[in-house]
Each structure stands twice: as C-alpha cells, then as structure tokens.
Amino acid sequence: MAKLFWVEDQSHWIDRFSAVLKQADLDGEPNHLEVYKFPEAAKQRIAVMTDQHKPDLALLDAHMNGSDQAGFSVSRALLKKWPDLPILYLSEHSGTEIEEQAITQNDAQDFIAKHQRNIEAVLCWRIKAALKKRQAQQLGEQAGLRSGSLEIHTDSWEVFWKGVKLMNPHNPKRPLAPTPRKILRFLVERSPRPLSTEQIADLLEADLERFSYANYRQHIKTLRSAFDAAEGHSGEFSELCQQGRGIVTFGDAHAYFWKSDS
C-alpha cells in the first residue's frame, strides 16, 4: 500500500485527482491518500506524525492561499523529519521561478504541470517512477551510503575513507564527533546540492542564533582534517577539495557540498 501525503488548496483539483490517486496501481495494492487543503494544517499533522505514519511520497502544490512559499514550507517540514522522502509538485506554475526554486532549492524530485494533456496518466506514472527510484535507493542504503571512496555505515554512522575509519583529528584514539558525522551524512545525501548554514542548522535541529557560519565552518575544518589524517596527513584530501571534489566550498553563500572523488 502506497501512502501519499497531498497538500492542495483548490477543491476542484482534489475532486478531480482523489479517486485517481487512490485507485492507481502503484504497488499492486490500494493506496492510502491523506489530503490537506491548508499548509498550516499539513505542518501541524507532520509535527505529530511518527515513522509508523511516514508517507511514501508527498505531492504538493507550490502556490497556495496567495503565497508562493506555502508549498515550500510544507516541503521543509517533511524533509526535516524524513530527508529521504520523495517530494513531487503538482502545480499550475510550471516553467516559472516557482518551478526553478522547487527544483534547485527545495529538493523536489519532479514538478508536474496540472494543465497538460492526459494529466491523470502523467501524474500516476511520475509518482510510480519516483517510488521505484526511492525503493532502489533504500535497497542500496541497507549496505550503507557510498560515494566514491567514501562509505558511511547507516547502522552505526561510522565513516570510512578508502577503507580507513575517520577518527577525531585531535585525538586519533577517539571516534569522530557526532555533529561532524551528521553534517557529512547530510552533505552526501543532498549531493550535489549545496547546504547553507541555515539548512544545516535546520537539519541538526540547532538554534540558528547559536549555530553560525563560524560553527559550520569549524565542523567542515574538522571533517577535512579527519580525512587528511586517514590518508596519513599526506595532504591529498585537501588538494582534492581545492580541485572541486570532496567537501567543497560553495561560492560566498556560506554553504558547502559533497562531490565524489570518482
């Protein structure tokens, strides 16, 4: 049973697509559809949902109740709780800055125009494709996150670089601290998109007034030092970063991103 979380503020679209979404053959069983007309109500529901109620996919309108940011606010609430959740937009604003922002800044997997020929069929196969992609990712994650020479064990979140476990660069007998490991995980999961200070603080559930770019930069420095230590302080990882791979600085936007070495 595919669990779909849908936020749409216009009743005529809900009436048009509800039966289609419930009856679509996504995994061979009837689907469970949870619909909200108001972004705030959706976010209140997300706040109390447990992993038992985690949806398989979220379908969002972007522009709702006069706000271009309404759908994005729901997306942020969902991804804060479940960073791997597929987010699709079903919108009347295809080909606009709203679509660009959804794809480039809000981790949307797809942006579907409502006004197109055969939209019901298009919507169903796009959702099915997103679910299939997520299933493949989950199968890969059972063995851990991998990116080139980097491996993160998803059971313990231990980090290995070229087969060597990353340790605290200031005390090689101690493991790498949890916060740098979490940041590295987020960077790898969101690769190749950059993550700003605000986005990292949100993912860490940190107080933005206390978690500054200086904090973020210090954790990145710790990570880079740990990678260098794993290579015997040869400086190869630092050079890799300067070449635009590994942990890379993103312009002047107070952000970083991960790019594989292969």
Side-chain angles (χ1 to χ4, degrees), residues 91-101 103 111-113:
S91 175
E92 298 177 73
H93 297 272
S94 178
T96 68
E97 291 182 1
I98 293 176
E99 180 177 0
E100 180 183 6
Q101 190 174 352
I103 298 295
F111 198 99
I112 306 165

Side-chain angles (χ1 to χ4, degrees), residues 44-246:
Q44 290 174 9
R45 169 59 176 156
I46 293 165
V48 299
M49 291 172 78
T50 64
D51 286 344
Q52 181 181 357
H53 303 104
K54 176 185 176 182
D56 296 303
L57 179 142
L59 185 65
L60 307 178
D61 193 2
H63 180 95
M64 290 184 283
N65 305 122
S67 171
D68 288 349
Q69 299 297 311
F72 301 149
S73 68
V74 177
S75 173
R76 287 191 291 270
L78 286 164
L79 292 176
K80 181 177 180 179
K81 201 156 196 173
W82 300 297
D84 60 345
L85 182 69
I87 304 286
L88 277 65
Y89 284 86
L90 179 63
S91 175
E92 298 177 73
H93 297 272
S94 178
T96 68
E97 291 182 1
I98 293 176
E99 180 177 0
E100 180 183 6
Q101 190 174 352
I103 298 295
T104 62
Q105 300 179 34
N106 289 275
D107 293 327
Q109 284 200 11
D110 206 344
F111 198 99
I112 306 165
K114 289 175 177 174
H115 295 292
Q116 61 176 298
R117 182 175 175 272
N118 203 22
I119 177 57
E120 288 84 358
V122 171
L123 177 60
C124 291
W125 65 254
R126 294 274 189 94
I127 291 175
K128 194 168 185 177
L131 291 173
K132 184 177 180 180
K133 180 179 179 181
R134 178 60 194 136
Q135 184 181 35
Q137 290 174 337
Q138 288 175 329
L139 290 173
E141 287 170 3
Q142 290 177 0
L145 292 173
R146 289 186 173 86
S147 178
S149 301
L150 176 69
E151 181 180 354
I152 303 176
H153 289 185
T154 50
D155 54 350
S156 63
W157 293 113
E158 293 179 331
V159 183
F160 294 83
W161 177 249
K162 298 181 180 179
V164 179
K165 182 178 177 180
L166 294 196
M167 305 296 286
N168 187 322
H170 306 295
N171 185 347
K173 294 183 179 181
R174 296 182 62 85
L176 188 63
T179 298
R181 278 187 287 165
K182 289 179 181 178
I183 289 175
L184 181 61
R185 166 195 166 188
F186 294 138
L187 292 175
V188 173
E189 287 178 335
R190 301 298 176 88
S191 175
R193 296 186 179 98
L195 288 176
S196 67
T197 303
E198 292 78 7
Q199 289 171 316
I200 282 291
D202 190 45
L203 290 167
L204 291 172
E205 299 185 351
D207 184 349
L208 190 56
E209 293 185 358
R210 300 179 63 182
F211 189 91
S212 65
Y213 176 57
N215 300 124
Y216 190 11
R217 184 174 56 195
Q218 183 57 49
H219 288 306
I220 294 296
K221 183 178 179 180
T222 297
L223 281 168
R224 287 172 171 167
S225 296
F227 277 98
D228 277 332
E231 293 187 325
H233 299 285
S234 64
E236 290 183 14
F237 187 78
S238 295
E239 184 177 345
L240 187 72
C241 295
Q242 293 174 2
Q243 295 171 353
R245 295 186 178 275

